[in-house]
Amino acid sequence: MKLSLNRGITILFAIVLVLLCNSMNSLTGPSTIESEIKPISINKKGEVLCKTRFTKNEMGAYSPIKIEYGFCIISKDTIIEIKTKTIDPTPESSYYEQKDYWDSIFRSETSQQQLNDIKEVILKNKYSFPSTNINSYKVNKILSVSDFETTKNVSLKKNKQKGLFGASSTEYYNEKKVHLLYDFGSIILFNNTNNIDYEELELGSDFDYYNPWIDDMGKEINIGFEVNIITGILIIE
């Protein structure tokens, strides 16, 4: 009788332990980074004005995380970033309302009036971007890395893509495919993602965004992010 009771307690403990582990696993998901660029206008100098959105979830938490919105101006020599709005994770009650609102602004097409306001309020009329004229530069095509390199006479291994906050491309995913979004001649925008929930293929490259972790030796290392959604900028000389 005592043996049977002990066995029952052991089985019950094992069940509770499994349920606890499953519960802990459900508290987090994959670490993610979203570094997105959406072009608005290109001027006669070849400068490209874009909207930007940046957020990273280093631990894969399901709770709200900081999101930064802004603009950038891409030229053959520089990428100028301008942060205009940050949504902090608290208070949670208004977080998702703000996120939905600013995400809709980022993802929607920019009107001529909005462009005029951006030039005046954000850019202080220091740049000339006359119209929302980027549709003719849109490609939205998936190519093999080798086909793209042959067509553009460029090495993607030597010529790195650039991301927001100074990031650079590292290793291309096993599929060896690139998703070409826009081709402005000397400036090319790629969609880089390994989020197979939304794409059938892993497209483009990983990036060197920093995600710190303390290893068994007590040393801080960069473990990167498990899920990447990154707009990459390739400058071709």
Side-chain angles (χ1 to χ4, degrees), residues 5-35:
L5 179 61
N6 289 339
R7 184 181 179 187
I9 293 173
T10 301
I11 294 173
L12 179 61
F13 177 77
I15 293 172
V16 171
L17 185 62
V18 169
L19 292 174
L20 180 61
C21 289
N22 288 338
S23 176
M24 291 298 291
N25 288 336
S26 68
L27 294 177
T28 62
S31 59
T32 61
I33 186 161
E34 299 172 19
S35 177

Side-chain angles (χ1 to χ4, degrees), residues 32 34 36 53-57 62-69 85-89 91-107 198:
T32 61
E34 299 172 19
E36 300 174 271
R53 179 183 183 274
F54 184 86
T55 184
K56 58 181 178 178
N57 190 343
Y62 287 122
S63 56
I65 53 176
K66 183 170 76 171
I67 307 175
E68 298 176 74
Y69 302 88
K85 175 64 180 179
T86 299
I87 301 178
D88 291 314
E92 189 171 334
S93 58
S94 65
Y95 172 85
Y96 291 104
E97 290 182 9
Q98 292 186 71
K99 177 181 181 297
D100 290 344
Y101 174 76
W102 287 101
D103 276 357
S104 68
I105 291 177
F106 173 76
R107 303 200 186 285
Y198 295 95

